[in-house]
Amino acid sequence: MDAQFGFAKVLQSWEIEMTRHLAAILAADVVGYSAMMGADQEGTLAALRSLRSEVFSPTVAGHRGKVVKSMGDGWLVEFGSSADAVTCAMQVQDRVAGQEKIRLRIGIHIGDIVHEDEDVFGDGVNVAARLEALADPGTVAISDAVFGSLDGTLQPSFDDLGTRELKNISRPIQVWGRGKSASGSADRVSGNALSSQTGFPQLAVLPVSSSDVREEISELASALTADFANFLGGARWLKSRVQEVPSPSANVLETVLRARGDRLRLEARVLAPDGAQLWTGKYDGSLADSFDWQDEVGSAIASETLTALLDHERARLAGKTLDEMSAKECYVSGLMSVELVDWDAMSNALECLAAAIEKDPSFTEAYSDAIVYYFAASSIGYADLVEFYGERFGQWMAAAGAHIQASPMIELALGIGMFRSAGDVTALRRAIRSALRRAPFTIEVVLFSGWGHAWMGEPEPAIDCFRQNDRAIRFSPFVAAAAAGLSFALLQAGKDEEAILEAKRGLELTTEFSTLHRVIASASAHLGRMEEAYDALRENERINPGDTIQMGWKRNAFADTPGTRRYYEGLRLAGMPEGDE
């Protein structure tokens, strides 16, 4: 009997050990829950329901998290990666910041955990819980192990809070915090950089509804809600958020998930504020392929929604001249036109932004976009646009300098301007770090931070930036610009095959973006594929007649680094002339 009992204990120990695995654990807690319930039970419960359905559940599901324990006023969530856990935590805090009643504390650690009897234990749980208790309301505290696994787009958001002794934890833990901290709080901008602006089209994303009570169906509905929020939040001309009760002035995306056994059907429709139906669609799938189906359907519905809203907005503005439009309407028109990155697109975008600034000199976002588009026109080779807007560019820079704290894009645009005008690497690097700290999920901030790193000849952090928002950026006007930036950074890093693939992805959208042709010419020449290099260089010559190596150096003001020299060396091999010194 003793032997059998001993063997049973060994077997039980072995089974528990077999369930032990490494995971990132997020611990979240509602601040002052008991006092809130005592003061206003009904209001507190309503706010908590709204938090769960509109923010917490969809954001967790959107980052492949799984709630492993719910305590009513707190949660333990398991993630497969630290980056997913941290991104989720930051987005939850940013979205909760707009609510009046609820504040959260969040802690994250990565470590071993064990599931047993519908509960979870282990180092990952214990440290995460202690970090959550240490965090101030509205902030995120993470361990050094988590911080070390983040890339350069997320690390700037966190301050070093020093080494701390945590209750019942045997070793000191170095703690990093985002939000109110020893070095002060960051002026953050959540998701859509214009989310606090008024005067833009609005979209209420209703949580995906389903009458099926199965857990996997509920998780899929929440994940789809998060995908819609993330994809649609990338449109700066659109004020989009998840809402159970939309405002009367908002467009609405309404989706219903139906399930019968393994079969799935998602029905979606987009409604105008007056109730008119702008688009409707149905998508069938199976539960066995739900992850792939989720990605496919999330992308398709987001794309159809933006197309329907763009068509509706274009129709509304079609009868107006720039003189008749408001400043924000001019701004929206500029954003809608820039996607193709050809001469007409850049010319129209700059014309619209200049009109927006003239109509409303306090409209700070218009300055940042005008500055960035001006340099984009310069980099591509549109010398006539650069000359035409040269005087106004100086005025835009001066005006933007007075509003540097107004938005992360203003700060970043000024840093780019100082680098491109005077070669100030320090100013650009500082601006990138600060902008990423304030708005790590704003597509344009991450995109142009990537271009900043590429201009400075720093390909690896540039690649991190371009790849961070790869899915969401497909629903912004900057798809071709992102493909060009990533392909250029990959070329700088010596990854020629990948550079060519990315450049060709951009050419699927527009064949008039000469940067894409130049990258293909240089990368192909380095690979010895000279016919492909010659063809790409001919396309560049068609768009930019008489282009030379020296003209490229002059218009781009690249830092003189090995990666940049590699780019130009490839163009020489492809046959681009040197030009005048």
Side-chain angles (χ1 to χ4, degrees):
M1 290 291 292
D2 289 342
Q4 289 181 342
F5 180 70
F7 176 75
K9 289 189 66 176
V10 170
L11 182 60
Q12 182 184 34
S13 175
W14 178 77
E15 288 174 341
I16 291 174
E17 192 65 32
M18 286 295 290
T19 66
R20 185 183 301 274
H21 61 280
L22 190 68
I25 294 293
L26 179 155
D29 174 69
V30 177
V31 178
Y33 178 75
S34 297
M36 290 165 57
M37 286 289 286
D40 179 10
Q41 180 174 333
E42 184 176 342
T44 298
L45 291 175
L48 195 56
R49 283 193 297 270
S50 175
L51 169 70
R52 287 195 189 106
S53 63
E54 296 181 1
V55 178
F56 197 82
S57 293
T59 308
V60 166
H63 294 287
R64 301 287 193 258
K66 182 175 179 59
V67 176
V68 292
K69 190 173 183 179
S70 177
M71 293 80 75
D73 62 337
W75 302 269
L76 290 175
V77 188
E78 178 182 344
F79 293 87
S81 78
S82 295
D84 281 340
V86 170
T87 301
C88 175
M90 293 166 70
Q91 290 181 346
V92 164
Q93 289 290 36
D94 288 350
R95 291 164 184 172
V96 171
Q99 300 195 15
E100 295 181 3
K101 293 184 71 71
I102 301 289
R103 292 189 302 165
L104 298 176
R105 284 187 294 252
I106 298 179
I108 302 171
H109 181 58
I110 185 167
D112 281 337
I113 64 169
V114 175
H115 290 276
E116 185 181 4
D117 296 332
E118 299 184 358
D119 208 340
V120 61
F121 306 93
D123 180 67
V125 175
N126 296 337
V127 175
R130 297 307 179 194
L131 290 170
E132 175 265 303
L134 180 71
D136 288 318
T139 72
V140 180
I142 64 176
S143 64
D144 194 52
V146 172
F147 179 81
S149 68
L150 304 180
D151 68 20
T153 65
L154 293 178
Q155 284 188 346
S157 294
F158 289 86
D159 297 306
D160 185 352
L161 303 185
T163 301
R164 302 292 183 91
E165 298 279 351
L166 303 181
K167 184 178 179 181
N168 296 331
I169 304 299
S170 60
R171 65 193 185 285
I173 298 288
Q174 185 174 359
V175 180
W176 297 80
R178 186 212 188 212
K180 183 179 178 182
S181 67
S183 61
S185 60
D187 175 21
R188 298 193 301 275
V189 176
S190 158
N192 185 334
L194 297 175
S195 61
S196 62
Q197 297 272 6
T198 58
F200 292 97
Q202 299 177 52
L203 175 67
V205 178
L206 303 186
V208 177
S209 64
S210 178
S211 59
D212 195 307
V213 298
R214 285 178 289 175
E215 182 179 1
E216 57 267 37
I217 300 299
S218 297
E219 290 178 354
L220 179 57
S222 292
L224 284 165
T225 303
D227 281 350
F228 298 149
N230 290 334
F231 291 152
L232 295 166
R236 295 179 76 216
W237 53 271
L238 181 66
K239 185 179 177 183
S240 171
R241 59 170 292 193
V242 177
Q243 288 179 292
E244 288 191 315
V245 181
S247 68
S249 58
N251 300 281
V252 174
L253 171 60
E254 183 181 76
T255 46
V256 179
L257 178 61
R258 305 189 189 283
R260 180 176 296 174
D262 189 55
R263 294 174 58 193
L264 301 171
R265 169 169 289 182
L266 190 67
E267 300 174 355
R269 62 177 183 165
V270 177
L271 304 175
D274 62 3
Q277 185 166 283
L278 304 180
W279 170 80
T280 182
K282 294 180 180 180
Y283 299 84
D284 293 329
S286 70
L287 198 54
D289 299 321
S290 60
F291 283 157
D292 291 339
W293 183 75
Q294 173 198 328
D295 290 340
E296 178 184 338
V297 170
S299 298
I301 290 179
S303 180
E304 294 288 356
T305 299
L306 288 178
T307 299
L309 293 175
L310 275 172
D311 288 346
H312 186 62
E313 193 66 14
R314 284 194 180 104
R316 189 180 69 82
L317 297 177
K320 294 186 177 184
T321 65
L322 284 179
D323 288 340
E324 295 169 332
M325 292 182 190
S326 69
K328 290 187 173 66
E329 287 174 333
C330 290
Y331 180 88
V332 170
S333 294
L335 281 179
M336 290 191 297
S337 69
V338 78
E339 184 171 9
L340 295 179
V341 207
D342 58 18
W343 189 93
D344 288 336
M346 297 304 297
S347 175
N348 188 58
L350 285 167
E351 182 183 15
C352 290
L353 290 169
I357 290 169
E358 185 176 342
K359 291 172 182 289
D360 183 1
S362 66
F363 188 10
T364 54
E365 288 293 341
Y367 289 109
S368 64
D369 286 63
I371 291 167
V372 169
Y373 294 173
Y374 176 86
F375 281 124
S378 172
S379 295
I380 296 167
Y382 300 146
D384 51 349
L385 292 179
V386 173
E387 181 179 358
F388 184 80
Y389 286 100
E391 183 177 344
R392 271 180 279 190
F393 165 73
Q395 297 169 357
W396 296 339
M397 285 285 288
H403 300 283
I404 192 169
Q405 294 303 317
S407 84
M409 272 302 295
I410 283 281
E411 187 173 16
L412 183 57
L414 285 168
I416 291 171
M418 294 173 72
F419 172 76
R420 297 295 301 273
S421 301
D424 193 337
V425 173
T426 301
L428 178 53
R429 190 171 287 120
R430 185 189 306 118
I432 289 172
R433 183 173 181 83
S434 179
L436 287 173
R437 175 184 176 86
R438 297 170 66 189
F441 308 117
T442 298
I443 287 174
E444 289 86 341
V445 167
V446 179
L447 170 65
F448 290 110
S449 292
W451 267 111
H453 281 300
W455 284 324
M456 291 187 290
E458 300 171 349
E460 295 305 328
I463 291 168
D464 283 344
C465 287
F466 290 123
R467 282 184 166 156
Q468 190 214 54
N469 282 326
D470 186 57
R471 292 175 74 203
I473 205 157
R474 286 177 285 171
F475 306 101
S476 80
F478 304 103
V479 184
L486 179 53
S487 64
F488 180 73
L490 289 166
L491 171 62
Q492 287 181 309
K495 301 175 181 179
D496 297 314
E497 291 282 9
E498 292 180 64
I500 292 170
L501 287 174
E502 286 298 327
K504 287 182 176 179
R505 185 172 70 129
L507 289 175
E508 292 175 1
L509 299 164
T510 173
T511 59
E512 302 303 305
F513 193 173
S514 55
T515 301
L516 296 165
H517 296 296
R518 289 194 290 267
V519 168
I520 291 174
S522 180
S524 298
H526 279 297
L527 291 170
R529 294 171 4 199
M530 301 312 298
E531 192 62 38
E532 189 175 347
Y534 299 151
D535 288 344
L537 202 61
R538 278 194 291 271
E539 284 296 294
N540 177 67
E541 178 68 16
R542 175 182 64 80
I543 300 168
N544 292 325
D547 199 13
T548 68
I549 300 292
Q550 291 303 318
M551 289 172 66
W553 275 107
K554 182 177 180 180
R555 67 173 172 255
N556 284 293
F558 288 133
D560 188 1
T561 65
T564 306
R565 291 194 292 272
R566 188 176 190 279
Y567 167 65
Y568 285 116
E569 181 56 35
L571 291 175
R572 288 189 185 94
L573 291 171
M576 181 177 281
E578 196 68 32
D580 296 331
E581 295 289 342

